[in-house]
Structures are given as C-alpha cells and as structure tokens.
C-alpha cells in the first residue's frame, strides 16, 4: 500500500524538521550553542543533515516501490529492508562527509578521525545514519501493514456483500413461478385421489421455499442438508413427470458432512430436468454422485439429454454457479458441464474439502 503523495510529503517534512529541532535542542542542552560561531556551524550541520535525510529517505522509498518489496513475503521484506537501509546509510555517510568537508563544517574530533582513517569516519557516519533510516523504514513499513490490514477488512466486507447479493439473485431465479405453478397443480389433482401424497407434497414444497428464504443466512451448508432439499424437489418433479423421471443416488457416506454453497446442487438438478428430461419424449434419468477424489469433494449430476448448440455458460444459472464458486473458493474450485456420452449430459463440481 503506497502512502498518498500529499500525506507522504507532509510526514516527511514534519519528521525531518523534528529531527532538526531535536538535535538543536540536544546541542543547546549540552552547551554547544553558547558560542555564536559554534551556533552557526551547528545550525548549518543540522540543516544539511535534515535535507540529506529527506532526500535519501525519499530515494529509499523509490527503491522500495520500484522493486515491489511490499508485495513480497515478510521474510524477504525484512531482508531487503535491512539491505536497502544499509546501502542508503553508506551512501548517505559518504555524501555527508563530502558536504561537510566542502562547507568546512567538520568538528575537530571528526578531523582527528579523518587524519587517521577516512574509512573509519565513513563507517562512523554510516552507523549513525543506519539507526535513523532503520527508524524511518520501520515507520514506513508499519504504516503499510496497518493500512493493508484495514484494506483487507474492507475487501472482506465487500466480498461478503457480493456473495450475499449473488445469493439473493440465485433465490429469485430458484423460486421459479412455473415450477411452483406446476407443483400446486399437481397437488390439487392429488387432493381427492391421494390425500396423503398431497399432504406430503405440500410439505416438500414448503421445505424448498423455506430453504430458499433462509439461503442468505449462511455461505455454506452440509451436503446432507442440500440433499434433503434436492430430494424434496425431485419428489415434486416425479409427481409431475411420473414414470418419465427416474432418480438415482450414489452418495459416499464420508461426503455427507462436507460444506457446499447452498442451493448449488439443487440448481444443477433443476437445470438437468428443465433442459434435459423435459425435452425427452420418453423421459430419462437424473443421477447424483458424490465422492472424494484427489483431495477434493466431487459432485456430479448426470441426466438424459443433449447439450444445446448455445454455449453451456450462456444461462444465468450456470453463470451464477461459476461466480459463486469464484467468490467463495477463488481458484480452488472448478465446474464443468459437458456431453459425457451420446445421450448423457454431465455437470461436475470439484470443491475443497472442509473436514
């Protein structure tokens, strides 16, 4: 996260100005400001230090941004932070010596060190600057982590908002008026002929509608709960298609408690009947399979029928499934629909295991 330019420069100027006045205060408290000549030299030195620190710290920031240090792993960030700070300190130490020598602002003690060894003087200057730049880098990275954490919280809230919005759209498409109309007509026809079956059908329809209404309360539900909704839906559809609709389940026990997005499997089953079985004169079969394969939960819905000439992703239902998978699982889940055999369409979901 890059600090905004305006606030960055405000903080830079305030920080190095504080550096300037703090050192002047230390010099005054140590009685180094009593002599007028010494006072001028001290002010000039502190001003050059502050300006040099401002320029070199900005160059350090440019190096951090250009090499994208903030996007690396924490261990690499720390290593590069120390390396860049060390290099900047040595460069600053050399420039400081050149500037002070040019302006004749070196102290007697520094001249004594210089007479013995230029390298020793540069190392002494670099050590002092390393301490200051390390504080600067720590503040800069600390600000980065705070803003990054805040941004992640905002992104998570936005993500959850998108998931809820998409789920609400799914609810609207799920409560198909034609399906409800057909179910109610079937129930009405059975009221006199088979009252017990009619009562059971009302319960099944009620369960589906209740599940749709409660959909926005959770991002995932257990596969066993989703299967209960699917079974109620299939029971109502069998009432309409009678012998034209055959149902088969091949559910592994270990998959029943795995978490999946609600109504997603039901949508695939509804899609299989709407675009498959309903177009077959002799009807067909809908087969549901759940298994654990290659460390993933694999859900397969097969139905008798033919894929249409239009792309399988063109319908809202299929698009909705892909969008929900992307929002909930990122790149860790896959979905495909294909013509698995001459008269069999297969829709397959692969989701991360949750237990």
């Amino acid at each position: 996260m890059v600090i905004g330019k305006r606030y960055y420069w405000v903080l830079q100027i305030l920080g190095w100005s504080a550096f300037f006045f703090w050192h002047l205060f230390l010099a005054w408290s140590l009685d180094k400001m009593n002599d007028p000549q010494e006072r001028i030299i001290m002010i000039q030195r502190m001003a050059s230090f502050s300006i040099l620190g401002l320029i070199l710290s900005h160059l350090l920031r440019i190096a951090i941004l250009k090499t994208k240090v903030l996007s690396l792993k924490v261990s690499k960030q720390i290593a590069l932070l120390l390396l860049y700070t060390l290099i900047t300190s040595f460069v600053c130490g050399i420039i400081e010596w050149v500037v002070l020598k040019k302006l004749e602002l070196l102290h007697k003690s520094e001249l004594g060190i210089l007479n013995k060894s230029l390298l020793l003087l540069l190392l002494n200057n670099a050590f002092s600057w390393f301490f200051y730049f390390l504080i600067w880098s720590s503040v800069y990275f600390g600000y980065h982590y705070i803003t990054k954490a805040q941004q992640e919280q905002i992104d998570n809230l936005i993500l959850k908002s998108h998931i809820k919005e998409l789920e609400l759209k799914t609810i609207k498409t799920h409560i198909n008026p034609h399906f409800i109309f057909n179910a109610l007509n079937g129930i009405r026809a059975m009221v006199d002929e088979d009252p017990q079956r009619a009562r059971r059908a009302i319960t099944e329809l009620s369960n589906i509608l209740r599940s749709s209404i409660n959909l926005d309360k959770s991002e995932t539900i257990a596969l066993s709960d989703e299967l209960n909704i699917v079974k109620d839906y299939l029971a109502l559809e069998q009432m309409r298609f009678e012998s034209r609709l055959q149902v088969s389940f091949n559910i592994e026990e270990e998959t029943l408690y795995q978490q999946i997005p609600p109504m997603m499997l039901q949508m695939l089953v509804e899609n299989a009947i709407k675009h498959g079985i309903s177009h077959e004169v002799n009807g067909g079969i809908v087969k549901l399979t759940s298994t654990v394969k290659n460390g993933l939960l694999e859900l397969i819905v097969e139905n008798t029928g033919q894929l249409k000439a239009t792309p399988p992703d063109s319908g809202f239902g299929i698009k909705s499934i892909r969008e929900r998978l992307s929002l909930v699982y990122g790149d860790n889940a896959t979905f495909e629909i294909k013509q698995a055999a001459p008269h069999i369409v297969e829709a397959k979901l692969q989701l991360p295991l949750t237990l």
Side-chain angles (χ1 to χ4, degrees):
M1 189 64 60
V2 181
I3 300 177
K5 287 186 177 180
R6 183 198 306 173
Y7 295 107
Y8 166 75
W9 283 111
V10 168
L11 291 174
Q12 275 281 76
I13 293 172
L14 288 177
W16 289 108
S17 296
F19 174 89
F20 171 78
F21 288 110
W22 170 250
H23 280 78
L24 283 183
F25 172 77
L26 289 178
W28 174 79
S29 63
L30 295 174
D31 296 327
K32 293 183 178 181
M33 302 283 286
N34 296 330
D35 182 76
Q37 185 66 27
E38 187 71 18
R39 186 184 309 132
I40 293 174
I41 293 176
M42 186 61 64
I43 293 174
Q44 289 177 328
R45 283 176 63 95
M46 291 304 103
S48 63
F49 288 165
S50 299
I51 294 172
L52 191 58
L54 178 66
I55 295 173
L56 267 292
S57 61
H58 181 64
L59 294 178
L60 175 58
R61 174 180 180 263
I62 292 175
I64 291 172
L65 297 179
K66 289 292 184 181
T67 54
K68 299 181 179 179
V69 174
L70 301 180
S71 62
L72 301 177
K73 294 181 179 179
V74 175
S75 58
K76 290 185 178 180
Q77 288 188 26
I78 295 175
L80 287 175
L81 163 67
L82 293 175
L83 177 62
Y84 288 175
T85 303
L86 188 61
I87 294 173
T88 306
S89 301
F90 272 101
V91 172
C92 200
I94 294 172
I95 296 175
E96 177 191 2
W97 173 78
V98 173
V99 171
L100 295 182
K101 187 174 183 298
K102 189 74 174 176
L103 298 177
E104 298 180 351
L105 297 175
L106 289 172
H107 287 307
K108 292 180 180 180
S109 59
E110 293 172 328
L111 290 173
I113 297 175
L114 179 61
N115 291 331
K116 294 180 180 179
S117 172
L118 174 60
L119 179 61
L120 184 61
L121 178 61
L122 294 178
L123 288 175
N124 180 67
N125 290 347
F127 177 79
S128 299
W129 280 112
F130 180 79
F131 174 74
Y132 296 133
F133 284 129
L134 188 60
I135 294 176
W136 185 94
S137 300
S138 299
V139 172
Y140 185 80
F141 273 69
Y143 180 89
H144 157 70
Y145 278 113
I146 292 173
T147 53
K148 183 179 180 181
Q150 292 175 339
Q151 188 60 46
E152 286 179 350
Q153 290 180 343
I154 294 173
D155 291 342
N156 286 335
L157 290 174
I158 293 174
L159 177 62
K160 290 181 179 179
S161 175
H162 284 327
I163 291 175
K164 297 304 180 184
E165 182 181 351
L166 190 56
E167 287 178 344
L168 288 175
K169 289 182 180 179
T170 304
I171 292 174
K172 294 177 182 179
T173 59
H174 171 70
I175 306 177
N176 190 317
H178 296 291
F179 161 70
I180 297 175
F181 178 76
N182 291 332
L184 290 175
N185 272 344
I187 293 171
R188 184 179 61 181
M190 286 190 299
V191 168
D192 295 327
E193 299 177 4
D194 191 347
Q196 186 175 355
R197 178 67 186 94
R199 286 195 296 270
R200 192 163 68 250
I202 293 173
T203 300
E204 292 162 350
L205 179 59
S206 174
N207 290 338
I208 294 174
L209 295 176
R210 186 183 303 110
S211 299
S212 297
I213 294 172
N214 294 329
L215 179 60
D216 62 339
K217 294 182 179 179
S218 60
E219 293 180 3
T220 60
I221 62 172
L223 176 60
S224 57
D225 294 332
E226 178 81 352
L227 285 173
N228 290 334
I229 299 171
V230 170
K231 289 175 181 178
D232 285 334
Y233 173 77
L234 287 171
L236 288 172
E237 291 292 58
Q238 282 182 313
M239 178 181 66
R240 180 161 66 101
F241 287 95
E242 297 181 338
S243 61
R244 291 179 59 219
L245 174 59
Q246 303 298 316
V247 178
S248 173
F249 290 92
N250 182 20
I251 309 297
E252 291 186 0
E253 185 74 21
E254 62 179 313
T255 65
L256 290 175
Y257 300 102
Q258 292 294 324
Q259 296 289 310
I260 68 171
M263 308 303 288
M264 186 168 288
L265 185 59
Q266 192 279 336
M267 181 178 288
L268 290 178
V269 172
E270 183 176 345
N271 192 66
I273 293 176
K274 180 179 179 181
H275 300 289
I277 306 302
S278 63
H279 295 289
E280 297 293 319
V281 177
N282 297 320
I285 186 171
V286 174
K287 181 180 179 181
L288 279 75
T289 302
S290 73
T291 184
V292 174
K293 188 175 181 181
N294 298 326
L296 295 170
L297 173 63
E298 190 170 274
L299 302 174
I300 299 175
V301 177
E302 297 174 291
N303 66 272
T304 305
Q306 298 282 334
L307 277 179
K308 294 182 178 180
T310 55
D313 290 355
S314 59
F316 176 82
I318 301 302
K319 286 183 179 179
S320 172
I321 289 174
R322 292 193 184 280
E323 290 178 12
R324 291 177 68 193
L325 288 177
S326 177
L327 288 170
V328 177
Y329 301 108
D331 297 328
N332 298 320
T334 61
F335 169 70
E336 64 174 338
I337 182 168
K338 63 181 181 180
Q339 191 75 43
H343 298 286
I344 296 294
V345 176
E346 177 187 277
K348 180 166 68 176
L349 286 168
Q350 289 184 314
L351 310 176
L353 296 176
T354 55
L355 299 174

